[in-house]
Amino acid sequence: MRTTAVVPGSFDPITLGHLDVIARAVKMFDEVHVVVVHNPGKTALLPIAERVTLIERALAEAGISGNIVVTQWSIGLLVDYCTEVGASVLVKGLRTPNDVTYETPMAVVNRNLTGIETLFMLPDPGQAHVSSSLVRQVAALGGDVRPYVPHVVAEYLQGTS
Ligand code: PNS
């Protein structure tokens, strides 16, 4: 049976931690959809279309290829997108105890909504401290974000800050 997985997130911007989770998901599933979702609880830095483009360019730069779709979703529940494309698994990275607190209710509600399972991946220890919010803060204050994000993202942020 073919299994399609969705890796959702704000990706504002994509980090090396996200890239690691996506690369591992691509090895595990027949098809992977990386879905940029508008999160109304967060103040965005990058327009959603730019985030999609940066993910596509970061995947190409890292040589991550296969059956991957990069897209955006902002018109309803994430599980509705999953149903539309026949995905049965959500994949998320879990870095800290805070992530467990934040992600657990979403996983439970998503499963209650449609039965979809959420698979949590532990990050590569080298990436466990990396978050998009930290990257946004370092970039805004003129710091070097190259250790935390793909080259294309570092270049993009340098060009906009
Ligand atoms: O990268 P983030 O901001 O932690 O990702 C969170 C996101 C966007 C995946 C989450 O907020 C989400 O799934 N939003 C879509 C709306 C939805 O389906 N809400 C119900 C989930 S319980």
Side-chain angles (χ1 to χ4, degrees), residues 45 133-145 157-158 160-161:
L45 173 68
S133 58
L134 182 137
V135 167
R136 289 197 298 274
Q137 199 175 106
V138 172
L141 298 172
D144 184 4
V145 295
L157 292 175
Q158 273 164 4
T160 55
S161 58

Side-chain angles (χ1 to χ4, degrees), residues 70-138:
V70 183
T71 188
Q72 59 177 281
W73 180 253
S74 49
I75 54 169
L77 291 169
L78 179 62
V79 292
D80 292 340
Y81 176 86
C82 296
T83 302
E84 201 169 291
V85 301
S88 55
V89 184
L90 288 165
V91 178
K92 300 217 175 162
L94 269 191
R95 295 159 306 176
T96 63
N98 279 349
D99 279 356
V100 178
T101 306
Y102 173 65
E103 295 290 351
T104 303
M106 286 199 282
V108 171
V109 169
N110 283 330
R111 191 153 68 95
N112 286 344
L113 285 167
T114 62
I116 195 160
E117 294 289 352
T118 300
L119 172 75
F120 291 114
M121 283 189 190
L122 295 179
D124 181 294
Q127 305 298 339
H129 56 287
V130 180
S131 69
S132 297
S133 58
L134 182 137
V135 167
R136 289 197 298 274
Q137 199 175 106
V138 172

Side-chain angles (χ1 to χ4, degrees), residues 14-56:
I14 184 169
T15 67
L16 292 177
H18 292 132
L19 206 56
D20 172 51
V21 168
I22 294 166
R24 288 155 66 192
V26 167
K27 286 186 191 151
M28 293 176 68
F29 299 102
D30 301 297
E31 188 171 324
V32 169
H33 292 231
V34 182
V35 183
V36 180
V37 185
H38 170 64
N39 185 342
K42 293 182 177 175
T43 307
L45 173 68
L46 306 179
I48 288 196
E50 295 291 337
R51 295 183 231 166
V52 169
T53 303
L54 286 172
I55 293 168
E56 287 168 344

